[in-house]
Amino acid sequence: MVYENPDGIRIGLEIHIQLNKLKTKMFCGCSTDYHNAAPNTHTCPVCLGLPGALPVLNKKVVEAAIKVGLALEGEIAEETQFHRKNYFYPDLPKGYQITQYDFPIVSNGKIVIEGEDGEHTVGITRAHMEEDPGKLVHIGSIEKSKGVLIDYNRSGVPLIETVTEPDMRSPKEARRFLDKFRNILEYLDVFDGNLEGAMRVDANVSVHWGTRVEVKNISSHKGVERALLYEIMRQKNVIRRGGKISQETRHFDEGRGVTLSMRTKEEAEDYRYFREPDLMPMRITDWIPAVKETLPELPDAKRSRFIEQYGITDMHAKSLTSKIMLADFYEGVCAKGVDPKIAATWTADVFLGELNYRDLAISSYDGEKIGFIHGKDPRIKNSIKVSDMVELVNLFAEGKISDRAAVEVIRTMLDTAEEKTPFQIIEEKGLFKAEDDLVTKAVAETIAENEAAVQDYLGGTEKSLNFLVGQVMKKTKGTADAKTARDLIIKELKG
């Protein structure tokens, strides 16, 4: 299948990624661990831009940027340097941002995503290093704010700004690209995507191959998809009414789900770039071999290995490698000798599904247990041990519990902070699979008590059989095996 892109949609992204796994800021020794700190407590003369303060480059930032570039299969510049990007804004007290201009550290990379018509390659134009500005907090909405507060704790945190080619053809492809990119960054251990502001996106979009519009500072992947859907609809409506699309920068109001005009789009010359005189150009070719040795197994390679090594489906392998901590947890379970296919089902389908349902994000894995935290309320957190998942998988594989009971065990472990093993939960809740005699008795009672459903089934109404199975499950309090119950009912009714 070839996707024909009937609306001529072109989407390119500019993604600001905080290298928040580094301990200190880009040009000073201030800590990057500021998220739970009081405003303006992680600052110094350098990141506040006070007169006379000079930047000293954090070598780890350059190494992390090379690492990102190699993972994106990009070209690493032999020589690179910094520029000053001049503009006045309250979050940038010195009046310029130290960034890169004509010699970015990475160029011509790529990421392969699942596109509208199968695998689709998105080109990476460039990735460059720059410092994060401070954070503005508007009192009320950005349209009707009565005042603005400024927090400089974020000022000077190292960023990698990645610019893609306009290769994405739908909001869904844009979201898939962001998911894949975040996945790669977390594998590289330079980035924690769970922290506020860790990944911020500017989305450029045009329809009918026309003028592009930039939607600025979107903080979530879902928000990017929603903003693009709205913006595409808005542009198509303007054209339908005979209007013209203006090249401009727009803000996405997440609460209302609309984009709002902010200003006309600036061009590079508006920023009056010039070389940063306090930082020398760098030759970094000699750094590359050592950094290359630190590259981990990346998501696509791990996915292929999982399929080959554990014999699991591509769908399960994709889910399990979507988070490096989940992949490590699964391998920790498999290392205990369980059936890898059953472990994949219970980890990728049920465990991950229950986490998503509860808005819980995986936050840690220490080799013994996997931790998770609520997406909006960090006070809600819990963990599950490798040994617990091993016990659950083995009990299921041995036929001692039904799939319904196994789901109940996982839900109990997620919803309570009590450290009980699956065996203890099953015993307390009476979830061990019912004996054959009990199931046979329940089937007989069900047939006797539901004459109408029986006649409907015998008359060809297949869904009546599901009703009868449900009655058996109810009588056995969910401990019967549903397939066994179904087979017994059919045998009793049809011989």
Side-chain angles (χ1 to χ4, degrees), residues 16 27 82-87 92 94-100 128-133 157 159 161 200 271 273-274 276:
H16 295 81
F27 299 117
F82 288 98
H83 276 69
R84 289 186 179 183
K85 181 180 179 181
N86 296 276
Y87 64 98
L92 201 63
K94 57 180 179 267
Y96 62 86
Q97 180 186 32
I98 301 179
T99 181
Q100 295 195 283
H128 63 255
M129 302 174 283
E130 66 182 26
E131 60 180 339
D132 211 349
V157 169
L159 294 179
E161 179 176 346
R200 308 190 298 276
Y271 293 116
Y273 284 95
F274 64 84
E276 167 57 62

PDB file of all heavy atoms in Angstrom, residues 16 27 82-87 92 94-100 128-133 157 159 161 200 271 273-274 276:
ATOM      1  N   HIS A  16      13.171  19.921  21.486  1.00  0.00           N
ATOM      2  CA  HIS A  16      14.150  20.331  22.490  1.00  0.00           C
ATOM      3  C   HIS A  16      14.202  19.251  23.570  1.00  0.00           C
ATOM      4  O   HIS A  16      13.208  19.006  24.250  1.00  0.00           O
ATOM      5  CB  HIS A  16      13.767  21.671  23.103  1.00  0.00           C
ATOM      6  CG  HIS A  16      13.807  22.813  22.129  1.00  0.00           C
ATOM      7  ND1 HIS A  16      12.790  23.071  21.250  1.00  0.00           N
ATOM      8  CD2 HIS A  16      14.766  23.747  21.894  1.00  0.00           C
ATOM      9  CE1 HIS A  16      13.104  24.121  20.512  1.00  0.00           C
ATOM     10  NE2 HIS A  16      14.303  24.557  20.880  1.00  0.00           N
ATOM     11  N   PHE A  27      27.094  25.175  31.222  1.00  0.00           N
ATOM     12  CA  PHE A  27      28.265  26.058  31.290  1.00  0.00           C
ATOM     13  C   PHE A  27      28.643  26.440  32.714  1.00  0.00           C
ATOM     14  O   PHE A  27      29.409  27.383  32.931  1.00  0.00           O
ATOM     15  CB  PHE A  27      27.996  27.338  30.481  1.00  0.00           C
ATOM     16  CG  PHE A  27      27.730  27.073  29.025  1.00  0.00           C
ATOM     17  CD1 PHE A  27      26.504  27.390  28.467  1.00  0.00           C
ATOM     18  CD2 PHE A  27      28.693  26.490  28.215  1.00  0.00           C
ATOM     19  CE1 PHE A  27      26.248  27.145  27.125  1.00  0.00           C
ATOM     20  CE2 PHE A  27      28.454  26.239  26.876  1.00  0.00           C
ATOM     21  CZ  PHE A  27      27.222  26.555  26.324  1.00  0.00           C
ATOM     22  N   PHE A  82      30.178  27.179  18.958  1.00  0.00           N
ATOM     23  CA  PHE A  82      28.957  27.789  19.483  1.00  0.00           C
ATOM     24  C   PHE A  82      28.760  29.193  18.927  1.00  0.00           C
ATOM     25  O   PHE A  82      29.729  29.873  18.575  1.00  0.00           O
ATOM     26  CB  PHE A  82      29.001  27.838  21.008  1.00  0.00           C
ATOM     27  CG  PHE A  82      28.827  26.487  21.649  1.00  0.00           C
ATOM     28  CD1 PHE A  82      29.937  25.758  22.066  1.00  0.00           C
ATOM     29  CD2 PHE A  82      27.570  25.937  21.829  1.00  0.00           C
ATOM     30  CE1 PHE A  82      29.783  24.515  22.645  1.00  0.00           C
ATOM     31  CE2 PHE A  82      27.412  24.692  22.407  1.00  0.00           C
ATOM     32  CZ  PHE A  82      28.517  23.977  22.818  1.00  0.00           C
ATOM     33  N   HIS A  83      27.487  29.605  18.875  1.00  0.00           N
ATOM     34  CA  HIS A  83      27.115  30.957  18.462  1.00  0.00           C
ATOM     35  C   HIS A  83      26.235  31.595  19.526  1.00  0.00           C
ATOM     36  O   HIS A  83      25.684  30.903  20.389  1.00  0.00           O
ATOM     37  CB  HIS A  83      26.351  30.927  17.133  1.00  0.00           C
ATOM     38  CG  HIS A  83      27.219  30.898  15.921  1.00  0.00           C
ATOM     39  ND1 HIS A  83      27.971  29.809  15.594  1.00  0.00           N
ATOM     40  CD2 HIS A  83      27.456  31.839  14.965  1.00  0.00           C
ATOM     41  CE1 HIS A  83      28.641  30.053  14.477  1.00  0.00           C
ATOM     42  NE2 HIS A  83      28.348  31.279  14.066  1.00  0.00           N
ATOM     43  N   ARG A  84      26.099  32.894  19.423  1.00  0.00           N
ATOM     44  CA  ARG A  84      25.114  33.601  20.243  1.00  0.00           C
ATOM     45  C   ARG A  84      23.894  33.894  19.380  1.00  0.00           C
ATOM     46  O   ARG A  84      24.011  34.447  18.282  1.00  0.00           O
ATOM     47  CB  ARG A  84      25.691  34.925  20.767  1.00  0.00           C
ATOM     48  CG  ARG A  84      26.760  34.722  21.825  1.00  0.00           C
ATOM     49  CD  ARG A  84      27.202  36.046  22.422  1.00  0.00           C
ATOM     50  NE  ARG A  84      28.220  35.838  23.457  1.00  0.00           N
ATOM     51  CZ  ARG A  84      28.755  36.806  24.191  1.00  0.00           C
ATOM     52  NH1 ARG A  84      28.377  38.081  23.994  1.00  0.00           N
ATOM     53  NH2 ARG A  84      29.661  36.539  25.125  1.00  0.00           N
ATOM     54  N   LYS A  85      22.725  33.522  19.892  1.00  0.00           N
ATOM     55  CA  LYS A  85      21.452  33.799  19.227  1.00  0.00           C
ATOM     56  C   LYS A  85      20.807  34.963  20.004  1.00  0.00           C
ATOM     57  O   LYS A  85      20.375  34.793  21.150  1.00  0.00           O
ATOM     58  CB  LYS A  85      20.566  32.554  19.272  1.00  0.00           C
ATOM     59  CG  LYS A  85      19.221  32.693  18.605  1.00  0.00           C
ATOM     60  CD  LYS A  85      18.448  31.365  18.739  1.00  0.00           C
ATOM     61  CE  LYS A  85      17.075  31.447  18.103  1.00  0.00           C
ATOM     62  NZ  LYS A  85      16.332  30.167  18.257  1.00  0.00           N
ATOM     63  N   ASN A  86      20.765  36.120  19.374  1.00  0.00           N
ATOM     64  CA  ASN A  86      20.377  37.327  20.108  1.00  0.00           C
ATOM     65  C   ASN A  86      18.877  37.596  20.020  1.00  0.00           C
ATOM     66  O   ASN A  86      18.314  37.689  18.928  1.00  0.00           O
ATOM     67  CB  ASN A  86      21.118  38.544  19.535  1.00  0.00           C
ATOM     68  CG  ASN A  86      22.607  38.425  19.745  1.00  0.00           C
ATOM     69  OD1 ASN A  86      23.128  38.760  20.809  1.00  0.00           O
ATOM     70  ND2 ASN A  86      23.315  37.923  18.739  1.00  0.00           N
ATOM     71  N   TYR A  87      18.248  37.682  21.146  1.00  0.00           N
ATOM     72  CA  TYR A  87      16.853  38.150  21.207  1.00  0.00           C
ATOM     73  C   TYR A  87      16.545  38.517  22.650  1.00  0.00           C
ATOM     74  O   TYR A  87      17.171  38.015  23.583  1.00  0.00           O
ATOM     75  CB  TYR A  87      15.873  37.109  20.672  1.00  0.00           C
ATOM     76  CG  TYR A  87      15.769  35.810  21.432  1.00  0.00           C
ATOM     77  CD1 TYR A  87      14.754  35.605  22.363  1.00  0.00           C
ATOM     78  CD2 TYR A  87      16.660  34.759  21.200  1.00  0.00           C
ATOM     79  CE1 TYR A  87      14.636  34.411  23.050  1.00  0.00           C
ATOM     80  CE2 TYR A  87      16.548  33.567  21.875  1.00  0.00           C
ATOM     81  CZ  TYR A  87      15.539  33.393  22.803  1.00  0.00           C
ATOM     82  OH  TYR A  87      15.435  32.203  23.481  1.00  0.00           O
ATOM     83  N   LEU A  92      15.513  34.969  29.377  1.00  0.00           N
ATOM     84  CA  LEU A  92      16.895  34.932  28.902  1.00  0.00           C
ATOM     85  C   LEU A  92      17.593  36.223  29.354  1.00  0.00           C
ATOM     86  O   LEU A  92      17.726  37.174  28.586  1.00  0.00           O
ATOM     87  CB  LEU A  92      16.885  34.832  27.376  1.00  0.00           C
ATOM     88  CG  LEU A  92      18.117  34.293  26.680  1.00  0.00           C
ATOM     89  CD1 LEU A  92      18.381  32.845  27.075  1.00  0.00           C
ATOM     90  CD2 LEU A  92      17.924  34.376  25.172  1.00  0.00           C
ATOM     91  N   LYS A  94      20.551  37.427  29.851  1.00  0.00           N
ATOM     92  CA  LYS A  94      21.713  38.068  29.222  1.00  0.00           C
ATOM     93  C   LYS A  94      21.422  38.544  27.802  1.00  0.00           C
ATOM     94  O   LYS A  94      22.272  39.159  27.167  1.00  0.00           O
ATOM     95  CB  LYS A  94      22.926  37.139  29.231  1.00  0.00           C
ATOM     96  CG  LYS A  94      22.750  35.800  28.564  1.00  0.00           C
ATOM     97  CD  LYS A  94      24.079  35.006  28.681  1.00  0.00           C
ATOM     98  CE  LYS A  94      23.969  33.633  28.055  1.00  0.00           C
ATOM     99  NZ  LYS A  94      23.585  32.616  29.023  1.00  0.00           N
ATOM    100  N   GLY A  95      20.204  38.299  27.296  1.00  0.00           N
ATOM    101  CA  GLY A  95      19.809  38.831  25.990  1.00  0.00           C
ATOM    102  C   GLY A  95      20.244  37.986  24.817  1.00  0.00           C
ATOM    103  O   GLY A  95      20.014  38.358  23.676  1.00  0.00           O
ATOM    104  N   TYR A  96      20.867  36.852  25.061  1.00  0.00           N
ATOM    105  CA  TYR A  96      21.221  35.926  23.987  1.00  0.00           C
ATOM    106  C   TYR A  96      21.276  34.515  24.545  1.00  0.00           C
ATOM    107  O   TYR A  96      21.452  34.308  25.751  1.00  0.00           O
ATOM    108  CB  TYR A  96      22.560  36.298  23.331  1.00  0.00           C
ATOM    109  CG  TYR A  96      23.748  36.253  24.264  1.00  0.00           C
ATOM    110  CD1 TYR A  96      24.441  35.063  24.498  1.00  0.00           C
ATOM    111  CD2 TYR A  96      24.179  37.409  24.923  1.00  0.00           C
ATOM    112  CE1 TYR A  96      25.524  35.022  25.357  1.00  0.00           C
ATOM    113  CE2 TYR A  96      25.264  37.379  25.779  1.00  0.00           C
ATOM    114  CZ  TYR A  96      25.933  36.189  25.997  1.00  0.00           C
ATOM    115  OH  TYR A  96      26.989  36.146  26.867  1.00  0.00           O
ATOM    116  N   GLN A  97      21.120  33.563  23.650  1.00  0.00           N
ATOM    117  CA  GLN A  97      21.209  32.148  24.012  1.00  0.00           C
ATOM    118  C   GLN A  97      22.453  31.562  23.357  1.00  0.00           C
ATOM    119  O   GLN A  97      22.701  31.808  22.164  1.00  0.00           O
ATOM    120  CB  GLN A  97      19.964  31.414  23.504  1.00  0.00           C
ATOM    121  CG  GLN A  97      19.931  29.920  23.811  1.00  0.00           C
ATOM    122  CD  GLN A  97      18.730  29.244  23.152  1.00  0.00           C
ATOM    123  OE1 GLN A  97      18.297  29.652  22.076  1.00  0.00           O
ATOM    124  NE2 GLN A  97      18.185  28.238  23.797  1.00  0.00           N
ATOM    125  N   ILE A  98      23.232  30.808  24.123  1.00  0.00           N
ATOM    126  CA  ILE A  98      24.388  30.136  23.517  1.00  0.00           C
ATOM    127  C   ILE A  98      23.878  28.865  22.847  1.00  0.00           C
ATOM    128  O   ILE A  98      23.297  27.984  23.490  1.00  0.00           O
ATOM    129  CB  ILE A  98      25.463  29.805  24.571  1.00  0.00           C
ATOM    130  CG1 ILE A  98      25.945  31.085  25.256  1.00  0.00           C
ATOM    131  CG2 ILE A  98      26.628  29.068  23.910  1.00  0.00           C
ATOM    132  CD1 ILE A  98      26.989  30.855  26.333  1.00  0.00           C
ATOM    133  N   THR A  99      24.094  28.789  21.536  1.00  0.00           N
ATOM    134  CA  THR A  99      23.574  27.680  20.752  1.00  0.00           C
ATOM    135  C   THR A  99      24.551  27.389  19.624  1.00  0.00           C
ATOM    136  O   THR A  99      25.681  27.893  19.633  1.00  0.00           O
ATOM    137  CB  THR A  99      22.168  28.043  20.206  1.00  0.00           C
ATOM    138  OG1 THR A  99      21.647  26.937  19.460  1.00  0.00           O
ATOM    139  CG2 THR A  99      22.208  29.259  19.316  1.00  0.00           C
ATOM    140  N   GLN A 100      24.137  26.586  18.656  1.00  0.00           N
ATOM    141  CA  GLN A 100      24.983  26.317  17.489  1.00  0.00           C
ATOM    142  C   GLN A 100      24.240  26.762  16.244  1.00  0.00           C
ATOM    143  O   GLN A 100      23.009  26.721  16.194  1.00  0.00           O
ATOM    144  CB  GLN A 100      25.315  24.822  17.405  1.00  0.00           C
ATOM    145  CG  GLN A 100      26.157  24.342  18.573  1.00  0.00           C
ATOM    146  CD  GLN A 100      26.770  22.988  18.281  1.00  0.00           C
ATOM    147  OE1 GLN A 100      26.092  21.964  18.360  1.00  0.00           O
ATOM    148  NE2 GLN A 100      28.049  22.981  17.941  1.00  0.00           N
ATOM    149  N   HIS A 128      21.708  19.935  17.395  1.00  0.00           N
ATOM    150  CA  HIS A 128      22.764  20.790  17.940  1.00  0.00           C
ATOM    151  C   HIS A 128      22.598  21.031  19.428  1.00  0.00           C
ATOM    152  O   HIS A 128      21.514  20.852  19.987  1.00  0.00           O
ATOM    153  CB  HIS A 128      22.829  22.113  17.170  1.00  0.00           C
ATOM    154  CG  HIS A 128      21.595  22.954  17.282  1.00  0.00           C
ATOM    155  ND1 HIS A 128      20.688  23.081  16.266  1.00  0.00           N
ATOM    156  CD2 HIS A 128      21.126  23.721  18.305  1.00  0.00           C
ATOM    157  CE1 HIS A 128      19.714  23.888  16.646  1.00  0.00           C
ATOM    158  NE2 HIS A 128      19.956  24.293  17.881  1.00  0.00           N
ATOM    159  N   MET A 129      23.677  21.447  20.064  1.00  0.00           N
ATOM    160  CA  MET A 129      23.674  21.697  21.501  1.00  0.00           C
ATOM    161  C   MET A 129      23.274  23.150  21.756  1.00  0.00           C
ATOM    162  O   MET A 129      23.657  24.045  20.999  1.00  0.00           O
ATOM    163  CB  MET A 129      25.076  21.465  22.073  1.00  0.00           C
ATOM    164  CG  MET A 129      25.632  20.076  21.832  1.00  0.00           C
ATOM    165  SD  MET A 129      27.349  19.938  22.396  1.00  0.00           S
ATOM    166  CE  MET A 129      28.234  20.781  21.079  1.00  0.00           C
ATOM    167  N   GLU A 130      22.548  23.377  22.828  1.00  0.00           N
ATOM    168  CA  GLU A 130      22.261  24.738  23.262  1.00  0.00           C
ATOM    169  C   GLU A 130      21.814  24.728  24.713  1.00  0.00           C
ATOM    170  O   GLU A 130      21.524  23.668  25.279  1.00  0.00           O
ATOM    171  CB  GLU A 130      21.204  25.402  22.376  1.00  0.00           C
ATOM    172  CG  GLU A 130      19.825  24.787  22.448  1.00  0.00           C
ATOM    173  CD  GLU A 130      18.859  25.494  21.490  1.00  0.00           C
ATOM    174  OE1 GLU A 130      19.296  26.066  20.484  1.00  0.00           O
ATOM    175  OE2 GLU A 130      17.645  25.452  21.779  1.00  0.00           O
ATOM    176  N   GLU A 131      21.776  25.919  25.311  1.00  0.00           N
ATOM    177  CA  GLU A 131      21.368  26.015  26.712  1.00  0.00           C
ATOM    178  C   GLU A 131      19.869  26.296  26.797  1.00  0.00           C
ATOM    179  O   GLU A 131      19.298  26.978  25.942  1.00  0.00           O
ATOM    180  CB  GLU A 131      22.151  27.122  27.416  1.00  0.00           C
ATOM    181  CG  GLU A 131      21.945  28.495  26.794  1.00  0.00           C
ATOM    182  CD  GLU A 131      22.724  29.586  27.502  1.00  0.00           C
ATOM    183  OE1 GLU A 131      23.099  29.393  28.655  1.00  0.00           O
ATOM    184  OE2 GLU A 131      22.953  30.646  26.878  1.00  0.00           O
ATOM    185  N   ASP A 132      19.247  25.764  27.856  1.00  0.00           N
ATOM    186  CA  ASP A 132      17.820  26.013  28.074  1.00  0.00           C
ATOM    187  C   ASP A 132      17.650  27.400  28.690  1.00  0.00           C
ATOM    188  O   ASP A 132      18.457  27.802  29.534  1.00  0.00           O
ATOM    189  CB  ASP A 132      17.262  24.955  29.045  1.00  0.00           C
ATOM    190  CG  ASP A 132      15.802  24.634  28.775  1.00  0.00           C
ATOM    191  OD1 ASP A 132      15.179  25.359  27.988  1.00  0.00           O
ATOM    192  OD2 ASP A 132      15.294  23.664  29.364  1.00  0.00           O
ATOM    193  N   PRO A 133      16.625  28.146  28.277  1.00  0.00           N
ATOM    194  CA  PRO A 133      16.323  29.404  28.982  1.00  0.00           C
ATOM    195  C   PRO A 133      15.580  29.114  30.280  1.00  0.00           C
ATOM    196  O   PRO A 133      15.300  27.959  30.606  1.00  0.00           O
ATOM    197  CB  PRO A 133      15.436  30.152  27.985  1.00  0.00           C
ATOM    198  CG  PRO A 133      14.817  29.099  27.163  1.00  0.00           C
ATOM    199  CD  PRO A 133      15.764  27.928  27.125  1.00  0.00           C
ATOM    200  N   VAL A 157      20.345  24.534  31.631  1.00  0.00           N
ATOM    201  CA  VAL A 157      20.295  23.066  31.524  1.00  0.00           C
ATOM    202  C   VAL A 157      20.615  22.695  30.065  1.00  0.00           C
ATOM    203  O   VAL A 157      20.120  23.337  29.137  1.00  0.00           O
ATOM    204  CB  VAL A 157      18.894  22.540  31.923  1.00  0.00           C
ATOM    205  CG1 VAL A 157      18.730  21.061  31.553  1.00  0.00           C
ATOM    206  CG2 VAL A 157      18.665  22.744  33.410  1.00  0.00           C
ATOM    207  N   LEU A 159      20.603  21.281  26.407  1.00  0.00           N
ATOM    208  CA  LEU A 159      19.585  20.808  25.478  1.00  0.00           C
ATOM    209  C   LEU A 159      20.242  20.253  24.222  1.00  0.00           C
ATOM    210  O   LEU A 159      21.309  20.723  23.818  1.00  0.00           O
ATOM    211  CB  LEU A 159      18.670  21.952  25.033  1.00  0.00           C
ATOM    212  CG  LEU A 159      17.753  22.650  26.024  1.00  0.00           C
ATOM    213  CD1 LEU A 159      16.988  23.759  25.305  1.00  0.00           C
ATOM    214  CD2 LEU A 159      16.783  21.670  26.649  1.00  0.00           C
ATOM    215  N   GLU A 161      18.750  20.265  20.512  1.00  0.00           N
ATOM    216  CA  GLU A 161      17.621  20.595  19.640  1.00  0.00           C
ATOM    217  C   GLU A 161      17.768  19.787  18.353  1.00  0.00           C
ATOM    218  O   GLU A 161      18.786  19.882  17.657  1.00  0.00           O
ATOM    219  CB  GLU A 161      17.558  22.080  19.301  1.00  0.00           C
ATOM    220  CG  GLU A 161      16.376  22.372  18.368  1.00  0.00           C
ATOM    221  CD  GLU A 161      16.178  23.846  18.045  1.00  0.00           C
ATOM    222  OE1 GLU A 161      16.774  24.686  18.742  1.00  0.00           O
ATOM    223  OE2 GLU A 161      15.433  24.134  17.093  1.00  0.00           O
ATOM    224  N   ARG A 200      10.251  19.143  24.652  1.00  0.00           N
ATOM    225  CA  ARG A 200       9.292  20.160  24.213  1.00  0.00           C
ATOM    226  C   ARG A 200       9.378  20.274  22.688  1.00  0.00           C
ATOM    227  O   ARG A 200      10.474  20.259  22.120  1.00  0.00           O
ATOM    228  CB  ARG A 200       9.599  21.512  24.881  1.00  0.00           C
ATOM    229  CG  ARG A 200       9.710  21.392  26.405  1.00  0.00           C
ATOM    230  CD  ARG A 200       9.769  22.726  27.096  1.00  0.00           C
ATOM    231  NE  ARG A 200      10.907  23.540  26.759  1.00  0.00           N
ATOM    232  CZ  ARG A 200      12.102  23.434  27.333  1.00  0.00           C
ATOM    233  NH1 ARG A 200      12.311  22.526  28.261  1.00  0.00           N
ATOM    234  NH2 ARG A 200      13.100  24.225  26.985  1.00  0.00           N
ATOM    235  N   TYR A 271      17.865  36.976  14.313  1.00  0.00           N
ATOM    236  CA  TYR A 271      18.570  36.681  15.563  1.00  0.00           C
ATOM    237  C   TYR A 271      20.011  37.189  15.568  1.00  0.00           C
ATOM    238  O   TYR A 271      20.703  37.057  16.564  1.00  0.00           O
ATOM    239  CB  TYR A 271      18.561  35.163  15.818  1.00  0.00           C
ATOM    240  CG  TYR A 271      17.174  34.627  16.105  1.00  0.00           C
ATOM    241  CD1 TYR A 271      16.567  33.720  15.247  1.00  0.00           C
ATOM    242  CD2 TYR A 271      16.474  35.040  17.231  1.00  0.00           C
ATOM    243  CE1 TYR A 271      15.303  33.227  15.510  1.00  0.00           C
ATOM    244  CE2 TYR A 271      15.209  34.540  17.509  1.00  0.00           C
ATOM    245  CZ  TYR A 271      14.615  33.644  16.633  1.00  0.00           C
ATOM    246  OH  TYR A 271      13.372  33.159  16.899  1.00  0.00           O
ATOM    247  N   TYR A 273      22.923  36.120  14.545  1.00  0.00           N
ATOM    248  CA  TYR A 273      23.884  35.137  15.075  1.00  0.00           C
ATOM    249  C   TYR A 273      25.308  35.660  14.911  1.00  0.00           C
ATOM    250  O   TYR A 273      25.653  36.231  13.883  1.00  0.00           O
ATOM    251  CB  TYR A 273      23.779  33.826  14.304  1.00  0.00           C
ATOM    252  CG  TYR A 273      22.585  32.962  14.644  1.00  0.00           C
ATOM    253  CD1 TYR A 273      21.419  33.042  13.896  1.00  0.00           C
ATOM    254  CD2 TYR A 273      22.639  32.052  15.695  1.00  0.00           C
ATOM    255  CE1 TYR A 273      20.335  32.236  14.183  1.00  0.00           C
ATOM    256  CE2 TYR A 273      21.549  31.240  15.987  1.00  0.00           C
ATOM    257  CZ  TYR A 273      20.405  31.333  15.226  1.00  0.00           C
ATOM    258  OH  TYR A 273      19.335  30.535  15.509  1.00  0.00           O
ATOM    259  N   PHE A 274      26.135  35.474  15.918  1.00  0.00           N
ATOM    260  CA  PHE A 274      27.588  35.623  15.738  1.00  0.00           C
ATOM    261  C   PHE A 274      28.306  34.660  16.674  1.00  0.00           C
ATOM    262  O   PHE A 274      27.727  34.183  17.652  1.00  0.00           O
ATOM    263  CB  PHE A 274      28.045  37.066  15.941  1.00  0.00           C
ATOM    264  CG  PHE A 274      27.838  37.619  17.329  1.00  0.00           C
ATOM    265  CD1 PHE A 274      28.767  37.397  18.343  1.00  0.00           C
ATOM    266  CD2 PHE A 274      26.722  38.403  17.602  1.00  0.00           C
ATOM    267  CE1 PHE A 274      28.583  37.918  19.610  1.00  0.00           C
ATOM    268  CE2 PHE A 274      26.527  38.925  18.873  1.00  0.00           C
ATOM    269  CZ  PHE A 274      27.459  38.688  19.883  1.00  0.00           C
ATOM    270  N   GLU A 276      30.262  32.732  19.441  1.00  0.00           N
ATOM    271  CA  GLU A 276      30.407  32.948  20.885  1.00  0.00           C
ATOM    272  C   GLU A 276      31.898  33.170  21.177  1.00  0.00           C
ATOM    273  O   GLU A 276      32.709  32.245  21.020  1.00  0.00           O
ATOM    274  CB  GLU A 276      29.880  31.712  21.638  1.00  0.00           C
ATOM    275  CG  GLU A 276      30.239  31.637  23.093  1.00  0.00           C
ATOM    276  CD  GLU A 276      29.795  32.845  23.894  1.00  0.00           C
ATOM    277  OE1 GLU A 276      28.593  33.100  23.972  1.00  0.00           O
ATOM    278  OE2 GLU A 276      30.673  33.551  24.444  1.00  0.00           O
TER     279      GLU A 276
END
